[in-house]
Amino acid sequence: MTGQIELGLMVAQAYKSYGNLQALKGVDLEVVKGEFYTLLGPSGCGKTTLLRIIAGLELPDSGRVFLGGREVTHLTAAKRQVNTVFQSYALFPHLNIFENVAFGLKARNFDPTQVGRKVGESLEMLSLSGLEKRYPHQLSGGQKQRVALARALVNEPEILLLDEPMSALDAHLRAQVQEDLRRLQRSLGTTFILVTHDQDEAMMISDRLAVMNNGVVVQTGTPRQVYSKPTNQFVAEFLGAANILPARRQGNQLFTNLGPLHVSETPYWEEGHLAIRPEHIVLEGEIPQGSVNCVRAQVREAIYRGQSLDLWLDPGPLRVRTNTRDRLGPGDQVSLFFPPDDLVALDNQPSRY
């Protein structure tokens, strides 16, 4: 990050252990003010621990946390301009919706007139007007989620933290809430940081994301950068389907079990792996003589997925995703082209950011 970019959040060399379990192993993170940032990774990778340290609900064993350029490492959660929406929503069952949303403002001794105005604006923004007198048990899952958001946003935090808030929703409602959340963040310009293990959710909703594994950040970037140019095998396989090809380098040439392949960036290693997404492999007609990165293959299995057709091919096994207009089935011979720009040489060791 350059000095011209205003940081909403910076975490420097955060370590955290619970007994013999090392949850964070020197995490560095920079989030630009006003962006939608996602911490993505499998269960147990450290993303929720990192979120709790940012929120002030946990203290790091070592490391520092800065919000808006000010160090807050040892400040309590109540003294940080941060609010958190939890997976369970954590609504008070004995309070109605108005009282739930107003709770933080009343705790800070806001004037009752201001409380009424701010709560009303927050409920209207999240399409909850008219539900003020209902109780949490009278709401749908999607409505509860929006109440939790309203309660957090009414306090006008510098950063809103979201701890897998959509995981309890069904697939259709989750997709709708994802769109609503993205639209809300853009209209407010508030920094949002989301924790999720859902790759599709992270890809759809984020300006940038950090992929975490085993207590470290292994790659950061825009969804397109991280998906198209994974740095290592974990990222390649965690963010969707990927063909992983063992390869040997001799000079500037790479040799695989499919034959020699050309890549746009020659790797540093002598033995390693190449990755390519199934949708990036191109189905060709006849292979022109002398063409590079072209392979003949045979369909072993074809799986219809509605919007696409997944082909499993030999030699390989290779996975290719193509248009459903391609009426291919087991036994069919096909020609494949591997675009050099889409063949990524993976690091032998996970990257640290």
Side-chain angles (χ1 to χ4, degrees), residues 234-252:
F234 172 79
V235 176
E237 294 179 325
F238 189 73
L239 264 77
N243 294 290
I244 308 295
L245 309 174
R248 254 181 325 105
R249 179 175 64 82
Q250 291 184 0
N252 291 326

Side-chain angles (χ1 to χ4, degrees), residues 24-250:
L24 298 179
K25 305 172 184 176
V27 169
D28 292 319
L29 198 70
E30 292 185 354
V31 179
V32 176
K33 185 176 181 180
E35 75 176 336
F36 203 127
Y37 200 95
T38 296
L39 304 176
L40 172 67
S43 297
C45 72
K47 58 188 186 295
T48 296
T49 298
L50 179 57
L51 194 81
R52 290 177 63 81
I53 286 173
I54 295 167
L57 302 172
E58 298 270 4
L59 280 174
D61 296 335
S62 62
R64 305 170 76 186
V65 180
F66 298 83
L67 296 177
R70 182 171 67 105
E71 184 169 3
V72 298
T73 309
H74 298 288
L75 291 185
T76 63
K79 293 183 178 179
R80 301 187 188 194
Q81 278 293 89
V82 171
N83 277 92
T84 306
V85 176
F86 297 99
Q87 183 176 349
S88 63
Y89 310 138
L91 300 178
F92 300 114
H94 62 289
L95 299 181
N96 64 28
I97 301 314
F98 182 95
E99 292 164 337
N100 261 283
V101 175
F103 185 84
L105 297 175
K106 290 181 177 179
R108 291 157 62 195
N109 296 316
F110 270 73
D111 179 85
T113 303
Q114 281 186 294
V115 171
R117 178 179 60 79
K118 285 177 172 289
V119 171
E121 290 172 353
S122 187
L123 292 175
E124 183 178 359
M125 178 174 60
L126 286 149
S127 303
L128 292 167
S129 297
L131 302 181
E132 291 87 347
K133 295 184 179 180
R134 292 194 189 181
Y135 288 82
H137 72 273
Q138 298 173 310
L139 302 181
S140 68
Q143 289 171 328
K144 289 178 185 176
Q145 198 258 7
R146 295 205 303 275
V147 172
L149 281 170
R151 187 177 63 181
L153 290 169
V154 77
N155 294 300
E156 299 178 346
E158 289 182 26
I159 297 180
L160 181 68
L161 305 177
L162 302 154
D163 188 9
E164 305 219 32
M166 292 165 275
S167 60
L169 305 178
D170 63 60
H172 176 74
L173 184 55
R174 186 163 61 246
Q176 181 60 54
V177 171
Q178 287 166 359
E179 293 177 11
D180 292 344
L181 199 58
R182 187 67 177 117
R183 195 176 299 115
L184 177 66
Q185 190 273 335
R186 283 178 172 165
S187 67
L188 292 173
T190 303
T191 307
F192 280 26
I193 301 177
L194 169 72
V195 158
T196 186
H197 63 272
D198 187 323
Q199 301 93 325
D200 292 337
E201 182 170 282
M203 297 289 287
M204 171 192 163
I205 212 167
S206 313
D207 293 315
R208 290 192 305 131
L209 55 88
V211 183
M212 296 187 67
N213 187 39
N214 196 28
V216 299
V217 173
V218 292
Q219 188 171 355
T220 65
T222 66
R224 183 183 294 274
Q225 288 168 342
V226 175
Y227 182 80
S228 298
K229 301 291 182 182
T231 56
N232 57 62
Q233 188 167 343
F234 172 79
V235 176
E237 294 179 325
F238 189 73
L239 264 77
N243 294 290
I244 308 295
L245 309 174
R248 254 181 325 105
R249 179 175 64 82
Q250 291 184 0

Side-chain angles (χ1 to χ4, degrees), residues 218-219 229-236 244 265-275 344-353:
V218 292
Q219 188 171 355
K229 301 291 182 182
T231 56
N232 57 62
Q233 188 167 343
F234 172 79
V235 176
I244 308 295
E265 297 181 18
T266 304
Y268 64 88
W269 42 253
E270 293 184 2
E271 290 193 11
H273 293 85
L274 304 177
V344 180
L346 303 176
D347 286 348
N348 284 333
Q349 299 295 326
S351 297
R352 293 283 297 274
Y353 286 78

Side-chain angles (χ1 to χ4, degrees), residues 223-353:
R224 183 183 294 274
Q225 288 168 342
V226 175
Y227 182 80
S228 298
K229 301 291 182 182
T231 56
N232 57 62
Q233 188 167 343
F234 172 79
V235 176
E237 294 179 325
F238 189 73
L239 264 77
N243 294 290
I244 308 295
L245 309 174
R248 254 181 325 105
R249 179 175 64 82
Q250 291 184 0
N252 291 326
Q253 276 212 305
L254 295 171
F255 295 89
T256 72
N257 65 334
L258 302 176
L261 292 174
H262 294 250
V263 296
S264 58
E265 297 181 18
T266 304
Y268 64 88
W269 42 253
E270 293 184 2
E271 290 193 11
H273 293 85
L274 304 177
I276 188 167
R277 299 291 180 191
E279 65 272 22
H280 292 164
I281 299 175
V282 181
L283 279 172
E284 298 279 280
E286 291 300 315
I287 300 176
Q289 191 169 5
S291 294
V292 298
N293 287 16
C294 291
V295 175
R296 290 287 291 172
Q298 180 173 305
V299 179
R300 185 175 70 185
E301 188 178 6
I303 301 174
Y304 179 75
R305 296 189 179 276
Q307 295 181 336
S308 63
L309 184 70
D310 276 14
L311 302 175
W312 291 95
L313 309 170
D314 290 322
L318 279 174
R319 184 176 181 177
V320 176
R321 184 163 293 153
T322 186
N323 197 292
T324 54
R325 290 194 298 270
D326 293 320
R327 298 183 180 278
L328 296 167
D332 287 340
Q333 297 287 324
V334 294
S335 299
L336 308 175
F337 171 60
F338 293 73
D341 286 346
D342 293 318
L343 267 172
V344 180
L346 303 176
D347 286 348
N348 284 333
Q349 299 295 326
S351 297
R352 293 283 297 274
Y353 286 78

